[in-house]
Amino acid sequence: MIHARGLVQTFKTRQGREKVEVRAVDGVDLDVEEGEVVGFLGPNGAGKTTTLRMLTTLLRPTEGTATVAGYDVVKQSQDVRRSIGYVSQAGGAYSYARAGDEVVDHGMLYGISKKQATERGHQLFEQLDLPGLWKRTPKQMSGGQKRRLDIVMGLIHDPTLVFLDEPTTGLDPQARANLWEHIADLRRERGATVFLTTHYLDEADVLSDRIMIIDQGRIIASDTSENLKAAISGDQVDLEVADYSRVTDAAAALNSIADSLEVEGHHVRGRVPRAGRAVPGLLRELDRTGITLESIEVHRPTLDDVFLTLTGRSLRDAEAGAESGQPESTEQQPETVGADQ
Ligand SMILES: Nc1ncnc2c1ncn2[C@@H]1O[C@H](COP(=O)(O)OP(=O)(O)OP(=O)(O)O)[C@@H](O)[C@H]1O
Ligand SMILES: [Mg+2]
């Protein structure tokens, strides 16, 4: 359904006075089969949106080729656009029209009848928990409601291939859960293929058949969440030591059973094979040497641990530390597929 080879996107940006070239996407190959739900993960600035914008024809690849739904993203961009639904990270640009009218117009742009668009629109408003908002203008909606309206727009023409760029950012837990259910239904009932980016690791975990991790413009892993986690051995043990002066002693104790060790403030963390067996002995040892713990946590590997193992950085730290140059505008085409033609 999606096949890309050697996709590259470079942007010219300024850093202070100097002009630099950012290789936002640096040689991406990817294959997504029909009916797959793929979660595209990576820290801020990794190249997720840029990849999506190339696949949805909004940005012409600097190098490389891609076909989406059987069409070439450069030579057959109109066919690609007709075959997909896309919800951009930024959301759509709204007119002052009422939400329902805008949704219906949007559907009609994709060639479905007014009657169909109205029916389907009402159904989506219901499913995404926007009842009663059909006649409101987006200006009168909350951020989360607008985000859900973006999603309605992306799905109005019943696409069987959907690109969602952080669809749940800004949604409350209830709305997120609704959307998850909707995405699961899309696949189950319609065999839809879904390619989504998210910062919520639990979300990627629950929804995706396969996880792709991108870092600094390159795909560094692509497998099921289970397989990715299985490649990491051991559980994460996190000790919070009450008395700061005993942190070093606690670290030494943990080190005797752990494969890796990290100290941060009052916390001592390590990856411990078969923690269930090893931890009781550790606790006895700490007790014997008079080290008091504020807390102890043991957890199975997560996708964040996968990222940490692959890159030496935590996905969360990578995000906190992410920085980017001041972009010069290199926009080539408008941001919404279909909406403004
Ligand atoms: N129009 C642009 N002009 C210049 N640089 C850009 C432009 N768009 C993106 N970049 C740069 O390309 C890199 C990748 O950006 P991209 O938006 O693809 O990241 P992302 O993975 O979607 O991040 P986020 O999680 O923050 O949405 C970043 O360094 C970004 O600053
Ligand atoms: Mg993005």
Side-chain angles (χ1 to χ4, degrees), residues 11-13 22-25 42-51 53 59 89 165-166 197 199 214 319 323-331:
F11 293 114
K12 301 228 170 14
T13 71
V22 176
R23 240 171 136 77
V25 173
N44 286 138
K48 302 180 295 295
T49 298
T50 307
T51 304
R53 297 186 69 216
L59 204 55
Q89 182 171 10
D165 199 355
E166 292 181 35
T197 77
H199 280 174
I214 183 169
E319 303 210 322
E323 40 129 37
S324 54
Q326 286 300 310
E328 254 178 28
S329 183
T330 50
E331 298 296 298

